[in-house]
Amino acid sequence: MTTATAIVAGHGIALRRSLHLPNPPGKPSSASFSARPYPHPHYRLAVPTPRRPCRSISSESPTASAAADTAEGEDDPAAATIEEEEEEEELDPLAEVCYLDPEADAEGIREWEVDFCSRPILDARGKKVWELVVCDATLSLQFTRFFPNTSINSVTLRDALASVSTSLGVPLPDRARFFRSQMQTIISRACNELGVKAVPSRRCVSLLLWLEERYETVYSRHPGFQQGTKPLLTLDNPFASNLPDNLFGDKWAFVQLPFADVREEVELLGRRYAFGAGLDLDLLGFELDETTLVPGVAVESSRARPLAAWMNGLEICSMEVDTDRANLILSAGVSTRYVYAAYQKSAATTQEAEAWEAAKKACGGLHFLAIQENLNSDSCVGFWLLLDLPPPPV
């Protein structure tokens, strides 16, 4: 057993790791590190409050209300200010959202995140209400619309997605990410008819966290809310399959990078690397100390650039260690899980793998994947910032 030093992403972060005997030819070898204790982070999604939520409910909405807003006090600026403050404090669970940040570049919003599913709400017929939720990664664009369960089809969805564009005055996106595999047929068909590429992916981080927030602020306060209702369409978590041969690296290592340097890597993604994906850490509101070490996995490959290109098309969302099987698992798309690598199981390696998972948990689920031509290199070919997220409550 030999000892080496790994330098990650050009920041000269020296990490000691034990390199074990390599796996069969073409398979990544294993590595480990000793994790330090980290402070527990506190973070929350910073959801912009729509300045003008859609008060007029669609005629097809099962939660439509015939009550009209009173005009009392509309000429009183002070009363209007108080009303606006009250609206910001508590969202109307019957209102639909139709919002575009006035400071956003409408033409620059080229990707949407979409969910179309039932909610734990019953309409007047005692049937579950469905909802379309659309946003972009920065939540500069927000749109919601309720539907009765009798109109759930690709035509309804197509028309609703088109109305997002016309209502907000934004172009249709190039891509629309969605995370429910059960809705792939309907969403793909609706998007295809609009010339939009439907992308199955769990990298809908803003959407997933917004749904969690809407559960607390909207759904649970709706008069038709049914507490304890389980989601109709749950997320898949299949057994991990074998990794395609073209995705293997030569060796890999558990590594760590200070949070400040992780931020820098995300900011430089578009300029330094051709491959990779970041997260909006400010929107997510991570409250980690700049020196906190974020765990990750570094992969060395003599075909680093082709490997990074192939990985770039997978919609990578997270990595985890299966300590029972001594495997490193890569999750991608909406329901794809690969056995990315294996290591020799022992009490020591199990402890080290558990330490890596504990470090990830202490960082709020934040971790990364870096692809390098050499683990001792001072640069990366690809860098993906990843985040473990629990399934949404709806």
Side-chain angles (χ1 to χ4, degrees):
M1 183 182 298
T2 60
T3 303
T5 300
I7 301 177
V8 181
H11 294 281
I13 307 304
L15 305 171
R16 305 299 291 182
R17 70 180 188 280
S18 300
L19 299 181
H20 303 278
L21 292 176
N23 289 344
K27 310 299 182 182
S29 61
S30 59
S32 60
F33 80 103
S34 298
R36 304 177 188 177
Y38 302 108
H40 185 74
H42 300 281
Y43 67 92
R44 66 182 181 83
L45 184 66
V47 181
T49 301
R51 298 180 184 179
R52 294 184 180 276
C54 298
R55 292 292 176 182
S56 58
I57 309 300
S58 168
S59 60
E60 59 187 347
S61 168
T63 60
S65 172
D69 293 337
T70 63
E72 181 179 355
E74 64 180 3
D75 296 329
D76 185 350
T81 301
I82 294 175
E83 289 178 1
E84 289 179 1
E85 292 177 351
E86 290 177 348
E87 286 180 359
E88 290 181 358
E89 291 177 359
E90 185 170 346
L91 298 177
D92 182 355
L94 299 178
E96 294 176 337
V97 178
C98 184
Y99 169 76
L100 178 67
D101 187 338
E103 298 181 359
D105 176 13
E107 297 292 329
I109 302 177
R110 306 310 306 161
E111 293 187 355
W112 291 357
E113 299 178 5
V114 176
D115 185 42
F116 190 44
C117 190
S118 67
R119 301 296 183 236
I121 298 171
L122 298 184
D123 59 16
R125 301 171 298 122
K127 303 297 183 180
K128 272 193 174 183
V129 171
W130 280 62
E131 184 188 39
L132 169 66
V133 175
V134 180
C135 67
D136 71 320
T138 65
L139 290 176
S140 297
L141 180 152
Q142 301 175 31
F143 184 93
T144 69
R145 179 174 292 176
F146 290 113
F147 296 91
N149 69 341
T150 54
S151 61
I152 306 307
N153 53 62
S154 62
V155 175
T156 297
L157 180 58
R158 179 201 63 195
D159 294 343
L161 290 174
S163 72
V164 177
S165 175
T166 55
S167 299
L168 294 175
V170 299
L172 287 168
D174 298 325
R175 292 152 52 94
R177 284 188 172 93
F178 65 94
F179 63 89
R180 298 188 199 270
S181 60
Q182 301 93 333
M183 298 301 297
Q184 182 160 353
T185 300
I186 289 179
I187 293 178
S188 296
R189 185 175 298 168
C191 287
N192 288 340
E193 292 183 10
L194 294 173
V196 177
K197 182 179 180 180
V199 181
S201 173
R202 291 195 191 184
R203 289 194 69 91
C204 303
V205 176
S206 297
L207 175 61
L208 288 166
L209 293 177
W210 189 25
L211 286 174
E212 184 176 337
E213 191 232 22
R214 283 183 63 78
Y215 183 87
E216 298 296 332
T217 61
V218 177
Y219 310 141
S220 63
R221 298 179 183 179
H222 194 284
F225 176 66
Q226 300 296 301
Q227 188 171 8
T229 302
K230 294 182 179 180
L232 177 64
L233 304 178
T234 57
L235 299 189
D236 295 333
N237 193 31
F239 288 108
S241 58
N242 293 329
L243 188 70
D245 290 340
N246 64 324
L247 298 181
F248 278 112
D250 300 327
K251 62 177 66 173
W252 63 278
F254 284 135
V255 294
Q256 304 171 97
L257 198 60
F259 184 60
D261 293 337
V262 169
R263 280 186 175 277
E264 182 178 343
E265 291 303 319
V266 172
E267 292 171 359
L268 295 176
L269 264 175
R271 287 174 287 169
R272 178 178 292 182
Y273 313 132
F275 311 108
L279 296 171
D280 191 330
L281 295 172
D282 291 330
L283 178 70
L284 296 176
F286 270 91
E287 297 178 357
L288 291 174
D289 186 84
E290 295 294 281
T291 60
T292 297
L293 295 177
V294 178
V297 171
V299 177
E300 175 184 312
S301 174
S302 58
R303 305 171 298 109
R305 191 164 293 277
L307 175 59
W310 286 320
M311 296 289 284
N312 211 43
L314 291 182
E315 290 291 318
I316 305 167
C317 56
S318 66
M319 302 188 81
E320 62 182 297
V321 180
D322 183 342
T323 54
D324 292 335
R325 296 178 174 83
N327 289 332
L328 184 64
I329 307 298
L330 173 74
S331 294
V334 294
S335 58
T336 301
R337 300 175 77 237
Y338 292 122
V339 177
Y340 193 67
Y343 58 88
Q344 190 173 18
K345 187 173 183 179
S346 68
T349 56
T350 297
Q351 183 178 10
E352 291 163 350
E354 289 174 346
W356 186 83
E357 281 290 342
K360 185 172 61 169
K361 183 177 180 181
C363 289
L366 197 66
H367 56 298
F368 64 88
L369 170 66
I371 294 181
Q372 301 176 278
E373 293 179 343
N374 189 301
L375 289 181
N376 293 320
S377 172
D378 61 354
S379 64
C380 294
V381 175
F383 185 89
W384 291 262
L385 190 56
L386 311 173
L387 182 64
D388 283 346
L389 280 178
V394 293

